[in-house]
Amino acid sequence: MIRCLAIDDEPLALKQLTNFISKIPYLELVAACPSALEAKDVLSHEMIDAIFCDINMPDLNGMDFIKSLASPPLVVFTTAYSEYALEGYKVDAVDYLLKPFGLDEFRRAAEKLQKRLGITETSLEKTTPVAEETPQEDAAQKIETSTDSLFVKVENRMVKITLSNVFYIEGMSEYLKIHLVGTDEHGMPRKPAIALYSLKRLEERLPGFFMRIHRSFIINLRYVKEVSKNRVTMENDVILPIGELYKENLNNYLLRNYIGK
């Protein structure tokens, strides 16, 4: 994981930075600071690999802050002022994001950090702490290709989810609530996994036994108990609505699997 510090004196900009960091699996947010002075305090007692830093801030601007550090972490500057770009590269900045920037631009900057630190996908798999949903599964059987499992970022952890254990997935704005079947090690029903991810992006990565039936729901077809005109009844009598846009796809699935006269 790349341990990050986010610095911006504008609350909305700082919130966007923390949101973007949470969407990149190999970034871990250590602290979000509204000033460079507060960030200096964090650096005195935390190991930081990279800083996402605004430049034009009161008290101590981002450029002077980085120059003041004896051994600064890698830095990506974020600012609304393009005239700082040249100076940013003089302090060996990894990237320079001109506000307003989107997630794609931020992701490209994160990838540059990854390369500068010499972190590969393989090394991330070895070093990322993983809380497995199926502890009885042999560690050697981890699926890097995600054919029968996927990894989701839950808070600051990468959690492995076995797809056959997914009951249904609920979209809530920018978040997902992944409902699971079975019980945990204490015999209690498994708690849903909450992740910051879009339902549409997840839908594109799921295998064929999942189907979107509503703008807010993707179901595991293996746990369908009954389908009526406007709703699906899952096992445990969980009832989910069918959206108009998704009826045709679901009906086609039913026809393919219908045993008629």
Side-chain angles (χ1 to χ4, degrees):
M1 296 289 281
I2 300 174
R3 290 169 58 82
C4 300
L5 193 59
I7 312 169
D8 202 304
D9 64 308
E10 298 177 8
L12 289 178
L14 187 59
K15 184 176 180 181
Q16 184 194 51
L17 267 180
T18 60
N19 182 29
F20 283 175
I21 288 171
S22 71
K23 291 178 185 255
I24 308 298
Y26 51 83
L27 298 184
E28 177 187 353
L29 180 66
V30 177
C33 302
S35 73
L37 295 177
E38 186 173 316
K40 245 185 177 176
D41 181 59
V42 173
L43 285 168
S44 69
H45 63 269
E46 291 282 359
M47 291 294 295
I48 301 296
D49 301 308
I51 299 175
F52 292 91
C53 184
D54 186 24
I55 294 178
N56 192 24
M57 295 186 291
D59 298 326
L60 180 62
N61 74 48
M63 195 71 67
D64 291 337
F65 165 63
I66 297 300
K67 289 177 180 178
S68 73
L69 301 176
S71 300
L74 295 180
V75 61
V76 173
F77 284 119
T78 64
T79 183
Y81 302 95
S82 59
E83 60 266 26
Y84 287 116
L86 180 60
E87 191 177 356
Y89 287 113
K90 285 181 180 178
V91 296
D92 199 26
V94 173
D95 207 350
Y96 184 97
L97 295 174
L98 189 62
K99 298 177 182 178
F101 55 88
L103 180 58
D104 286 343
E105 294 168 281
F106 183 86
R107 184 178 285 110
R108 284 192 288 271
E111 288 169 355
K112 290 179 183 178
L113 284 173
Q114 195 179 14
K115 289 176 182 177
R116 284 279 289 270
L117 289 168
I119 297 174
T120 63
E121 294 300 322
T122 301
S123 65
L124 284 171
E125 287 162 9
K126 290 179 180 177
T127 59
T128 301
V130 175
E132 293 191 12
E133 291 296 335
T134 53
Q136 74 277 11
E137 187 177 12
D138 191 323
Q141 295 179 344
K142 286 181 182 176
I143 308 297
E144 277 119 17
T145 56
S146 298
T147 54
D148 68 355
S149 63
L150 54 85
F151 287 87
V152 296
K153 188 170 185 179
V154 179
E155 296 177 343
N156 288 323
R157 300 172 297 129
M158 292 295 289
V159 178
K160 181 180 178 182
I161 304 290
T162 302
L163 292 175
S164 59
N165 290 336
V166 175
F167 189 27
Y168 67 95
I169 304 160
E170 182 179 359
M172 304 180 297
S173 186
E174 293 183 340
Y175 289 85
L176 295 179
K177 191 172 186 180
I178 303 173
H179 298 263
L180 303 167
V181 298
T183 56
D184 61 19
E185 64 272 20
H186 305 295
M188 301 297 291
R190 285 180 177 169
K191 293 181 179 179
I194 309 295
L196 186 62
Y197 206 74
S198 79
L199 201 64
K200 178 175 175 56
R201 286 179 64 198
L202 181 63
E203 181 185 10
E204 294 168 354
R205 300 187 59 182
L206 291 172
F209 56 89
F210 285 90
M211 181 176 290
R212 191 165 184 173
I213 61 165
H214 187 273
R215 66 178 182 177
S216 300
F217 295 104
I218 294 174
I219 61 171
N220 186 334
L221 293 165
R222 294 172 177 175
Y223 296 112
V224 172
K225 183 176 174 182
E226 182 180 292
V227 179
S228 61
K229 184 178 180 181
N230 295 310
R231 66 184 191 178
V232 172
T233 303
M234 307 288 286
E235 290 187 12
N236 298 329
D237 293 325
V238 173
I239 297 174
L240 301 174
I242 302 172
E244 287 295 328
L245 293 176
Y246 306 93
K247 280 185 178 180
E248 183 177 356
N249 198 27
L250 180 58
N251 287 337
N252 289 338
Y253 166 78
L254 295 172
L255 288 172
R256 289 196 303 270
N257 293 277
Y258 171 64
I259 301 176
K261 294 181 180 179

